[in-house]
Amino acid sequence: MNLENKNIDLFNPFILVFMVVLFIAIALPMWYFYKNLPSPSADLFIYIALGLLFFALGIILSNFLVSKKTTSTLRADGSFLDKIYLKDNISIDFNRNPKKLSLFESYSKKEMVLVSIVLFGILLQVINIIHLGGIPLFSATLKAKAASKIWLLSYIIFLPFINILLAGFNRRSHYLLLFLGLLLFALTGYRTTPIAIVLSTLITLYYTRNIKFKYIIMIIGAMVVLLLAIGFIAVQAISWQHWHLNAIELVSYRAAFTLNVLEHAIRNQFSTAGNLFYSTLTGFFTHIDPRVLVGQATLARDHSITSTIFGPALLDFGAIGMVVQMFLIGFILKSLHSIQKHKKEIFTAFYGILLAQSIIWIETGPTDVVVWFFYLIGIILIAFSFYKGFMIEN
């Protein structure tokens, strides 16, 4: 199989299914080889399969609604009017005037604004680290304080705008901004934020640049090393925990433990009765950690615990809540995926962000208010495209 073939879409939403299977495979050694954790029951795999089935149904419905037919109307100034039709499907054609591509070679006002916003996001993270008085990656005490309101604002600004900048403007200096932001977020000791930055920008560049497959593999390899390094260093910095596992074994243990927590969530459906979702939306401002609620509901511990992408919905609303959640995630991702392949820029940027965050959710679960915020923007972008299609057609 030639992976350089443009007909092969490496980052279509179905990659989430593959990543779930990979996550389970990573957990297997801890269950059946090291036997550090109890092996799961059949219920675990049944519920995961059910969730993935409805995720696939969401993708299929989106495919049914969103078409690949394209048309374009020439404007008076010689540029093309982008048209979106919502009938059986959506059709978009975003042919660009080749002469206008030369604008990317010199700074435009739009590019300068985007660079300024990205720099502001980076500055906020610098201020956050200075305010902490040290590097959280090497201190569990500082890490607990690192996710401040300044950190949240910095992340909300940096992640989308670096993706929009990279999607719209091909300039080497922008990769320096990407690296600087990545470094600063990695120093906070949290794995999810730097992984989201690397993965989302990789997806964005995949759809807006002609990236060879070997470079994609290299970037993914670097991302794996980053994940292992940050996770291992952060764990070693926790003075009250003592681990005898190496970095790779620790990843396997984390995956197996998280899936064991999911099994407890399956047994304790409806136990949080919506409090998890509510605390996810309000917890940052009320200092309630939704993952602590997961720990209380599954293992009766007041610890921050993850339960996979399926766990929180099961604890809040049972199997019905889980399948509805997975169906909607599949529908939203596929709809945005179809639109961004033609529209690019902000649409591609947010598809990259949502897909990256959804992959991260495979372990952490949807307990981050900032990700729901990004999903809301994604829904608005989809709705705008559908509305625009109706208006043009009518």
Side-chain angles (χ1 to χ4, degrees):
M1 182 176 65
N2 181 15
L3 293 176
E4 303 290 350
N5 189 334
K6 290 302 177 183
N7 293 325
I8 299 173
D9 190 348
L10 293 178
F11 292 107
N12 74 78
F14 274 114
I15 194 175
L16 196 74
V17 177
F18 170 78
M19 295 303 294
V20 170
V21 174
L22 178 62
F23 189 71
I24 295 172
I26 291 172
L28 292 178
M30 281 296 154
W31 285 332
Y32 302 111
F33 180 72
Y34 294 99
K35 297 183 179 180
N36 288 12
L37 291 168
S39 56
S41 68
D43 286 348
L44 176 72
F45 301 105
I46 291 172
Y47 273 83
I48 289 175
L50 183 64
L52 293 179
L53 172 62
F54 275 83
F55 174 76
L57 290 176
I59 293 176
I60 292 169
L61 177 62
S62 176
N63 262 334
F64 179 75
L65 295 176
V66 181
S67 126
K68 298 178 182 177
K69 297 177 182 178
T70 61
T71 75
S72 53
T73 299
L74 190 64
R75 289 180 179 169
D77 63 1
S79 63
F80 285 98
L81 175 64
D82 305 326
K83 298 190 76 170
I84 306 173
Y85 292 104
L86 182 62
K87 290 182 177 178
D88 297 333
N89 296 302
I90 281 184
S91 108
I92 317 170
D93 183 6
F94 291 92
N95 294 321
R96 305 288 184 184
N97 187 336
K99 295 181 179 180
K100 291 198 170 185
L101 291 178
S102 63
L103 291 175
F104 294 147
E105 302 301 322
S106 61
Y107 279 96
S108 64
K109 289 182 180 180
K110 177 181 177 181
E111 186 177 7
M112 288 299 296
V113 169
L114 290 173
V115 169
S116 299
I117 295 173
V118 170
L119 285 171
F120 180 61
I122 291 173
L123 177 61
L124 286 174
Q125 194 54 246
V126 171
I127 293 172
N128 186 44
I129 292 176
I130 293 174
H131 179 71
L132 290 169
I135 300 177
L137 177 61
F138 305 112
S139 169
T141 303
L142 292 179
K143 180 183 175 182
K145 301 176 182 178
S148 63
K149 289 181 174 62
I150 298 176
W151 172 90
L152 177 64
L153 182 60
S154 173
Y155 188 62
I156 289 176
I157 292 173
F158 179 79
L159 184 63
F161 283 99
I162 191 64
N163 274 279
I164 295 170
L165 180 65
L166 292 175
F169 300 92
N170 187 9
R171 194 185 297 275
R172 290 183 179 180
S173 58
H174 298 336
Y175 296 100
L176 179 60
L177 296 177
L178 170 62
F179 176 78
L180 182 57
L182 175 62
L183 175 63
L184 289 170
F185 279 100
L187 290 178
T188 62
Y190 292 102
R191 297 169 304 145
T192 56
T193 45
I195 295 304
I197 292 169
V198 174
L199 187 54
S200 64
T201 52
L202 172 60
I203 296 167
T204 295
L205 293 173
Y206 175 78
Y207 288 111
T208 57
R209 306 281 190 276
N210 187 21
I211 302 179
K212 293 183 178 180
F213 181 73
K214 64 180 180 180
Y215 295 125
I216 294 175
I217 293 299
M218 290 171 61
I219 294 172
I220 293 175
M223 185 174 64
V224 171
V225 172
L226 180 66
L227 172 65
L228 292 173
I230 294 175
F232 189 70
I233 293 172
V235 165
Q236 296 302 315
I238 302 175
S239 59
W240 57 87
Q241 292 185 5
H242 303 283
W243 293 87
H244 301 288
L245 303 175
N246 60 42
I248 296 176
E249 291 170 342
L250 193 60
V251 171
S252 180
Y253 183 92
R254 183 67 180 261
F257 179 81
T258 302
L259 287 165
N260 283 144
V261 173
L262 172 60
E263 189 161 23
H264 284 279
I266 292 170
R267 297 170 186 165
N268 294 280
Q269 295 180 42
F270 298 104
S271 58
T272 52
N275 286 332
L276 258 176
F277 185 67
Y278 176 77
S279 65
T280 296
L281 299 181
T282 63
F284 189 86
F285 305 99
T286 58
H287 305 291
I288 298 174
D289 184 352
R291 293 178 188 172
V292 172
L293 297 182
V294 171
Q296 292 171 346
T298 56
L299 303 179
R301 299 179 186 175
D302 292 325
H303 298 305
S304 181
I305 294 176
T306 57
S307 59
T308 79
I309 193 171
F310 311 102
L314 282 167
L315 289 171
D316 266 350
F317 309 111
I320 294 176
M322 181 194 71
V323 298
V324 169
Q325 170 194 278
M326 296 307 298
F327 178 85
L328 291 175
I329 290 175
F331 182 84
I332 293 167
L333 285 177
K334 182 54 188 173
S335 297
L336 195 55
H337 172 261
S338 298
I339 295 170
Q340 67 81 30
K341 290 179 78 173
H342 301 281
K343 202 162 178 63
K344 307 299 182 184
E345 296 192 355
I346 188 172
F347 293 86
T348 300
F350 271 92
Y351 175 70
I353 291 169
L354 294 190
L355 181 59
Q357 295 283 8
S358 298
I359 291 173
I360 291 170
W361 270 356
I362 292 172
E363 179 198 355
T364 65
T367 54
D368 310 285
V369 63
V370 65
V371 184
W372 285 118
F373 174 72
F374 292 145
Y375 254 95
L376 177 61
I377 295 176
I379 292 170
I380 292 172
L381 290 173
I382 294 169
F384 174 76
S385 297
F386 282 23
Y387 175 73
K388 181 181 177 183
F390 276 122
M391 294 302 291
I392 293 175
E393 176 64 10
N394 292 335

